[in-house]
Amino acid sequence: ISNSRKTNGVDGIPVVNKYVAASIVWVILSIFAIFYGIHHCRATSYSYNLRCDVTNCVWSKTDKGILETFSVSRYDFLDAESVRINSKGEYADTATIKKMPNQRYGYSIRLKFRLPTEPDSNIKVEKYLLLSPYDIGRRSARTSATRLQSYISRAKDIANAESSRSVSFFGLMTSMLGFISLCLSCLLGQWADKPPRRIISRKAS
């Protein structure tokens, strides 16, 4: 029967046009790339902040969706200095840098607080804490450390320092390429079977 739909050998199941199927797969992969890029940005985003006012300082951390925070009085904020950190986000002293000079080192701020040994304890000890385990750059580290030292010495009553990233380059590029791919798939993809060409036969005269 010439007008019946083509089947793949099973009655009632039509043959899938390979170009239509390829267009559908193209769209699915493009959408996946967009959402994967967004997910990557969220998974690798972080924010480290130190906010100091006249009476106290609040340190907060949001890294990979986990929030941590604590506050300390201005009297218990003892020091702030620009330091080097290794690729693992750990403080690296001068001796360590000399032993492993080929390793890549970044910059952060090391904070010195007087904190309770246990929650609700009256006994306090001096503790060091990095503002951020991520490289904030030499200039930013030194500028922020100088600002915090002015706060500690009572020259200023307000001081802030922060390190944050909300968008990763890989995640942003993946989402952008996925969006471009999605637009191209909509413009260039094939979404329906092309109508069969009508063949006109001429009768011999």
Side-chain angles (χ1 to χ4, degrees), residues 180-198:
I180 294 173
S181 177
L182 180 62
C183 294
L184 291 176
S185 67
C186 293
L187 293 173
L188 305 178
Q190 181 176 329
W191 305 105
D193 293 337
K194 293 182 179 179
R197 296 178 62 184
R198 297 181 63 183

mmCIF file of all heavy atoms in Angstrom, residues 180-198:
data_model
loop_
_atom_site.group_PDB
_atom_site.id
_atom_site.type_symbol
_atom_site.label_atom_id
_atom_site.label_comp_id
_atom_site.label_asym_id
_atom_site.label_seq_id
_atom_site.Cartn_x
_atom_site.Cartn_y
_atom_site.Cartn_z
ATOM 1 N N ILE A 180 24.669 28.279 23.223
ATOM 2 C CA ILE A 180 24.897 28.486 21.794
ATOM 3 C C ILE A 180 24.526 27.228 21.013
ATOM 4 O O ILE A 180 23.899 27.292 19.940
ATOM 5 C CB ILE A 180 26.365 28.874 21.541
ATOM 6 C CG1 ILE A 180 26.665 30.240 22.167
ATOM 7 C CG2 ILE A 180 26.668 28.904 20.044
ATOM 8 C CD1 ILE A 180 28.120 30.628 22.123
ATOM 9 N N SER A 181 24.911 26.075 21.549
ATOM 10 C CA SER A 181 24.591 24.809 20.897
ATOM 11 C C SER A 181 23.080 24.590 20.825
ATOM 12 O O SER A 181 22.562 24.101 19.818
ATOM 13 C CB SER A 181 25.253 23.653 21.649
ATOM 14 O OG SER A 181 24.906 22.412 21.084
ATOM 15 N N LEU A 182 22.372 24.981 21.886
ATOM 16 C CA LEU A 182 20.916 24.835 21.893
ATOM 17 C C LEU A 182 20.276 25.707 20.813
ATOM 18 O O LEU A 182 19.351 25.266 20.115
ATOM 19 C CB LEU A 182 20.372 25.195 23.275
ATOM 20 C CG LEU A 182 18.855 25.096 23.457
ATOM 21 C CD1 LEU A 182 18.386 23.663 23.244
ATOM 22 C CD2 LEU A 182 18.447 25.599 24.841
ATOM 23 N N CYS A 183 20.760 26.939 20.675
ATOM 24 C CA CYS A 183 20.220 27.828 19.635
ATOM 25 C C CYS A 183 20.485 27.275 18.232
ATOM 26 O O CYS A 183 19.601 27.292 17.375
ATOM 27 C CB CYS A 183 20.837 29.226 19.773
ATOM 28 S SG CYS A 183 20.376 30.100 21.290
ATOM 29 N N LEU A 184 21.682 26.755 18.026
ATOM 30 C CA LEU A 184 22.010 26.190 16.719
ATOM 31 C C LEU A 184 21.186 24.944 16.424
ATOM 32 O O LEU A 184 20.771 24.724 15.281
ATOM 33 C CB LEU A 184 23.507 25.854 16.660
ATOM 34 C CG LEU A 184 24.469 27.052 16.646
ATOM 35 C CD1 LEU A 184 25.914 26.574 16.691
ATOM 36 C CD2 LEU A 184 24.236 27.913 15.404
ATOM 37 N N SER A 185 20.941 24.157 17.456
ATOM 38 C CA SER A 185 20.140 22.947 17.239
ATOM 39 C C SER A 185 18.706 23.295 16.845
ATOM 40 O O SER A 185 18.096 22.608 16.024
ATOM 41 C CB SER A 185 20.148 22.076 18.503
ATOM 42 O OG SER A 185 19.467 22.714 19.573
ATOM 43 N N CYS A 186 18.184 24.377 17.431
ATOM 44 C CA CYS A 186 16.826 24.792 17.066
ATOM 45 C C CYS A 186 16.764 25.337 15.638
ATOM 46 O O CYS A 186 15.763 25.174 14.941
ATOM 47 C CB CYS A 186 16.326 25.848 18.050
ATOM 48 S SG CYS A 186 16.077 25.238 19.736
ATOM 49 N N LEU A 187 17.851 25.993 15.213
ATOM 50 C CA LEU A 187 17.867 26.582 13.875
ATOM 51 C C LEU A 187 18.206 25.564 12.789
ATOM 52 O O LEU A 187 17.633 25.597 11.695
ATOM 53 C CB LEU A 187 18.881 27.733 13.823
ATOM 54 C CG LEU A 187 18.556 28.971 14.661
ATOM 55 C CD1 LEU A 187 19.722 29.938 14.630
ATOM 56 C CD2 LEU A 187 17.292 29.654 14.145
ATOM 57 N N LEU A 188 19.118 24.677 13.089
ATOM 58 C CA LEU A 188 19.638 23.778 12.055
ATOM 59 C C LEU A 188 19.113 22.353 12.156
ATOM 60 O O LEU A 188 19.299 21.568 11.227
ATOM 61 C CB LEU A 188 21.172 23.749 12.119
ATOM 62 C CG LEU A 188 21.880 25.103 12.019
ATOM 63 C CD1 LEU A 188 23.384 24.931 12.142
ATOM 64 C CD2 LEU A 188 21.531 25.794 10.710
ATOM 65 N N GLY A 189 18.488 22.022 13.272
ATOM 66 C CA GLY A 189 18.021 20.656 13.438
ATOM 67 C C GLY A 189 16.805 20.344 12.578
ATOM 68 O O GLY A 189 16.091 21.237 12.122
ATOM 69 N N GLN A 190 16.583 19.055 12.366
ATOM 70 C CA GLN A 190 15.409 18.605 11.607
ATOM 71 C C GLN A 190 14.431 17.987 12.581
ATOM 72 O O GLN A 190 14.771 17.087 13.350
ATOM 73 C CB GLN A 190 15.823 17.579 10.545
ATOM 74 C CG GLN A 190 14.647 17.085 9.700
ATOM 75 C CD GLN A 190 15.096 16.146 8.598
ATOM 76 O OE1 GLN A 190 16.199 16.280 8.084
ATOM 77 N NE2 GLN A 190 14.243 15.197 8.240
ATOM 78 N N TRP A 191 13.171 18.462 12.566
ATOM 79 C CA TRP A 191 12.205 18.062 13.583
ATOM 80 C C TRP A 191 11.024 17.286 13.008
ATOM 81 O O TRP A 191 10.121 16.921 13.750
ATOM 82 C CB TRP A 191 11.702 19.303 14.325
ATOM 83 C CG TRP A 191 12.838 20.084 14.893
ATOM 84 C CD1 TRP A 191 13.348 21.255 14.440
ATOM 85 C CD2 TRP A 191 13.667 19.707 15.996
ATOM 86 N NE1 TRP A 191 14.422 21.654 15.179
ATOM 87 C CE2 TRP A 191 14.647 20.719 16.160
ATOM 88 C CE3 TRP A 191 13.670 18.616 16.865
ATOM 89 C CZ2 TRP A 191 15.610 20.671 17.135
ATOM 90 C CZ3 TRP A 191 14.646 18.560 17.855
ATOM 91 C CH2 TRP A 191 15.592 19.579 17.992
ATOM 92 N N ALA A 192 11.007 17.069 11.732
ATOM 93 C CA ALA A 192 9.917 16.305 11.120
ATOM 94 C C ALA A 192 10.411 15.665 9.842
ATOM 95 O O ALA A 192 11.387 16.123 9.228
ATOM 96 C CB ALA A 192 8.716 17.202 10.828
ATOM 97 N N ASP A 193 9.770 14.581 9.470
ATOM 98 C CA ASP A 193 10.118 13.927 8.217
ATOM 99 C C ASP A 193 9.785 14.841 7.047
ATOM 100 O O ASP A 193 8.743 15.504 7.024
ATOM 101 C CB ASP A 193 9.345 12.617 8.057
ATOM 102 C CG ASP A 193 9.777 11.587 9.083
ATOM 103 O OD1 ASP A 193 10.903 11.713 9.586
ATOM 104 O OD2 ASP A 193 8.988 10.661 9.369
ATOM 105 N N LYS A 194 10.693 14.884 6.117
ATOM 106 C CA LYS A 194 10.423 15.671 4.926
ATOM 107 C C LYS A 194 9.345 14.981 4.094
ATOM 108 O O LYS A 194 9.338 13.756 3.978
ATOM 109 C CB LYS A 194 11.692 15.826 4.106
ATOM 110 C CG LYS A 194 12.761 16.660 4.789
ATOM 111 C CD LYS A 194 13.971 16.814 3.898
ATOM 112 C CE LYS A 194 15.039 17.689 4.574
ATOM 113 N NZ LYS A 194 16.240 17.838 3.728
ATOM 114 N N PRO A 195 8.400 15.758 3.535
ATOM 115 C CA PRO A 195 7.349 15.135 2.714
ATOM 116 C C PRO A 195 7.948 14.442 1.503
ATOM 117 O O PRO A 195 8.910 14.928 0.915
ATOM 118 C CB PRO A 195 6.471 16.321 2.303
ATOM 119 C CG PRO A 195 7.362 17.510 2.426
ATOM 120 C CD PRO A 195 8.297 17.221 3.554
ATOM 121 N N PRO A 196 7.414 13.274 1.166
ATOM 122 C CA PRO A 196 7.963 12.542 0.018
ATOM 123 C C PRO A 196 7.804 13.336 -1.276
ATOM 124 O O PRO A 196 6.829 14.062 -1.469
ATOM 125 C CB PRO A 196 7.145 11.252 -0.001
ATOM 126 C CG PRO A 196 5.862 11.617 0.689
ATOM 127 C CD PRO A 196 6.228 12.610 1.736
ATOM 128 N N ARG A 197 8.779 13.209 -2.124
ATOM 129 C CA ARG A 197 8.728 13.906 -3.411
ATOM 130 C C ARG A 197 7.751 13.187 -4.334
ATOM 131 O O ARG A 197 7.745 11.968 -4.442
ATOM 132 C CB ARG A 197 10.113 13.941 -4.038
ATOM 133 C CG ARG A 197 11.122 14.740 -3.234
ATOM 134 C CD ARG A 197 12.483 14.694 -3.891
ATOM 135 N NE ARG A 197 12.427 15.293 -5.229
ATOM 136 C CZ ARG A 197 13.469 15.324 -6.062
ATOM 137 N NH1 ARG A 197 14.614 14.771 -5.706
ATOM 138 N NH2 ARG A 197 13.352 15.887 -7.266
ATOM 139 N N ARG A 198 6.904 13.966 -4.959
ATOM 140 C CA ARG A 198 5.923 13.397 -5.887
ATOM 141 C C ARG A 198 6.570 13.213 -7.253
ATOM 142 O O ARG A 198 7.154 14.135 -7.822
ATOM 143 C CB ARG A 198 4.717 14.314 -5.998
ATOM 144 C CG ARG A 198 3.952 14.474 -4.681
ATOM 145 C CD ARG A 198 2.757 15.377 -4.861
ATOM 146 N NE ARG A 198 1.809 14.788 -5.812
ATOM 147 C CZ ARG A 198 0.683 15.396 -6.198
ATOM 148 N NH1 ARG A 198 0.384 16.593 -5.735
ATOM 149 N NH2 ARG A 198 -0.133 14.807 -7.053
#
